[in-house]
Amino acid sequence: MPFDILQWADISDNYGCTVLLGNGASIAVSRSFTYESLLGHAIERNLLPDDARQLFRFFRTEDFELILRIVWQATNVNRSLQIPDARTYDAYVRVRECLIQTVRDIHPEYDQVRDRLPSIYEFLKGFRTVISLNYDLVVYWAMAYGFDRYRQHSFKDCFVQNGVFSSDWPRFREPIYGERSTTLVFYPHGSLVLCRNMVEQEFKIHTRDAGLLENILQYWQAESVVPLFVSEGTWEQKVTSIQNSFYLSTVYREVLASRRDTLVIYGWGFGAQDIHLLQRMQGSGIRRVAVAVRRGDQAFCNMVLATINQYLGRNVVVDFFDRESPGCWIH
């Protein structure tokens, strides 16, 4: 029996707790995000030299952030001990420049997506929590769009003024300064706006203007920080990377497992490499899940229902809605 594909307006009143955004959400904003992996893009365009590829093979990973951090740390150790090692530094520079060029190739500029931001803002402000699996700047730009326009609602990512993430993140749910409501935003796999310095301190790069993307890349190029995001890998590799970060591990252990009764999923394909996210939500109290569907894809609905039954329980009510219906995401 085929599943009913509803309109977002038919069910939106039942869902105001949490929305989880996958790569399909970013692709809806810009087709430039339709890539298989950052590493694949770099190799396809001959941006990554052979000796740098050897690092990925040796560490058995496709995660740019991990390789860049490993080589950067080795370079800093050699510098501190005054060990001459031009080859390690050269490898770091090549991986860094490759990542910068790849991000420049893939990520759209602010002016290319700005017309989408009002719709995204209106959609996201209907939730208490936003969980974005995407490391791009789309959600961050949507948050900034509303910052100077709408004082009654506030988006908060729980980073305080010095750019450091607050471990007491639940306190940010309380409205202040005349706000009527708040939405907390988290990045379980990191984001371009997040970085680490040479002693592994993590912080957010603060810029609200349209030059944020270039500002981030300049930070990387200045050799003062490395990015904090998990771009590729199996679920085991991703969980290992998550556990090596205070911010990511806090989101993974506390935010994903926190109490919620409803969950909306937009643009996430339920891939095996990210199934750890649903596993962390087991026992969080989810009673209803709404999943965005592309063009009435019944095979996708069958797969989703089986996955939700397996990880969240068979008593969870599942609604499917047209991902292009009015009022959801960019529509």
Side-chain angles (χ1 to χ4, degrees):
M1 184 174 179
F3 295 94
D4 291 331
I5 310 300
L6 306 172
Q7 295 293 293
W8 173 243
D10 297 333
I11 61 172
S12 58
D13 288 345
N14 298 324
Y15 293 94
C17 187
T18 301
V19 60
L20 185 150
L21 304 172
N23 191 50
S26 295
I27 292 173
V29 175
S30 172
R31 298 296 296 175
S32 65
F33 290 118
T34 54
Y35 56 87
E36 291 188 3
S37 71
L38 288 176
L39 181 61
H41 178 93
I43 292 175
E44 181 182 326
R45 285 158 178 75
N46 294 317
L47 300 176
L48 195 65
D50 289 338
D51 59 345
R53 292 191 201 186
Q54 184 178 341
L55 291 168
F56 286 89
R57 290 192 292 267
F58 179 84
F59 288 101
R60 298 180 181 178
T61 185
E62 295 182 353
D63 191 340
F64 256 112
E65 188 271 345
L66 175 61
I67 294 301
L68 188 62
R69 179 160 51 96
I70 289 172
V71 184
W72 189 54
Q73 288 171 336
T75 299
N76 287 328
V77 169
N78 289 337
R79 280 178 174 174
S80 67
L81 298 177
Q82 298 182 341
I83 299 173
D85 189 0
R87 188 173 182 186
T88 301
Y89 178 73
D90 289 345
Y92 159 67
V93 170
R94 284 193 288 271
V95 174
R96 182 196 69 203
E97 293 305 308
C98 178
L99 178 58
I100 289 173
Q101 185 58 53
T102 301
V103 170
R104 278 202 176 108
D105 287 350
I106 290 173
H107 203 293
E109 297 290 342
Y110 177 84
D111 288 342
Q112 295 175 283
V113 303
R114 66 188 306 170
D115 291 344
R116 303 290 197 183
L117 300 181
S119 297
I120 295 172
Y121 173 85
E122 289 297 326
F123 177 64
L124 294 182
K125 79 172 187 177
F127 299 94
R128 295 185 72 241
T129 304
V130 174
I131 299 173
S132 177
L133 306 184
N134 307 320
Y135 62 83
D136 60 66
L137 302 177
V138 171
V139 170
Y140 190 88
W141 279 334
M143 293 166 57
Y145 164 82
F147 186 83
D148 294 323
R149 293 171 175 82
Y150 308 106
R151 291 297 183 180
Q152 293 185 337
H153 185 85
S154 178
F155 283 88
K156 302 174 183 178
D157 56 18
C158 307
F159 284 83
V160 292
Q161 285 188 342
N162 58 359
V164 176
F165 180 69
S166 173
S167 59
D168 187 20
W169 60 268
R171 70 183 173 89
F172 290 92
R173 291 205 183 276
E174 290 298 320
I176 58 175
Y177 303 133
E179 301 163 350
R180 292 186 179 178
S181 54
T182 61
T183 297
L184 300 192
V185 179
F186 301 96
Y187 305 96
H189 292 160
S191 168
L192 291 178
V193 298
L194 306 181
C195 60
R196 314 185 215 222
N197 62 21
M198 67 176 63
V199 291
E200 296 288 284
Q201 293 174 324
E202 301 172 355
F203 60 94
K204 184 181 75 171
I205 298 173
H206 279 283
T207 306
R208 292 212 318 270
D209 60 25
L212 175 60
L213 178 60
E214 191 58 37
N215 192 29
I216 290 168
L217 299 181
Q218 288 175 4
Y219 264 88
W220 297 357
Q221 205 151 29
E223 302 184 12
S224 57
V225 300
V226 288
L228 175 57
F229 65 87
V230 182
S231 58
E232 323 291 347
T234 64
W235 74 265
E236 294 96 342
Q237 290 171 326
K238 286 187 175 182
V239 170
T240 298
S241 294
I242 287 168
Q243 291 172 340
N244 287 326
S245 160
F246 171 71
Y247 171 76
L248 298 184
S249 62
T250 301
V251 173
Y252 183 68
R253 287 183 290 102
E254 299 180 13
V255 176
L256 294 181
S258 62
R259 300 295 296 177
R260 59 178 54 85
D261 57 357
T262 64
L263 174 66
V264 174
I265 296 175
Y266 192 98
W268 184 45
F270 288 78
Q273 71 277 12
D274 289 329
I275 211 65
H276 57 280
L277 301 166
L278 281 187
Q279 291 175 324
R280 287 302 300 166
M281 293 183 187
Q282 289 175 348
S284 63
I286 295 174
R287 297 181 294 104
R288 301 184 69 103
V289 179
V291 182
V293 179
R294 181 175 181 266
R295 297 175 184 173
D297 188 342
Q298 294 291 315
F300 177 71
C301 293
N302 276 301
M303 183 273 290
V304 166
L305 183 62
T307 304
I308 290 175
N309 286 342
Q310 178 181 354
Y311 291 100
L312 298 182
R314 293 187 173 276
N315 294 326
V316 175
V317 176
V318 181
D319 294 317
F320 295 100
F321 68 97
D322 181 356
R323 73 175 192 178
E324 296 182 358
S325 54
C328 66
W329 195 231
I330 62 171
H331 303 288

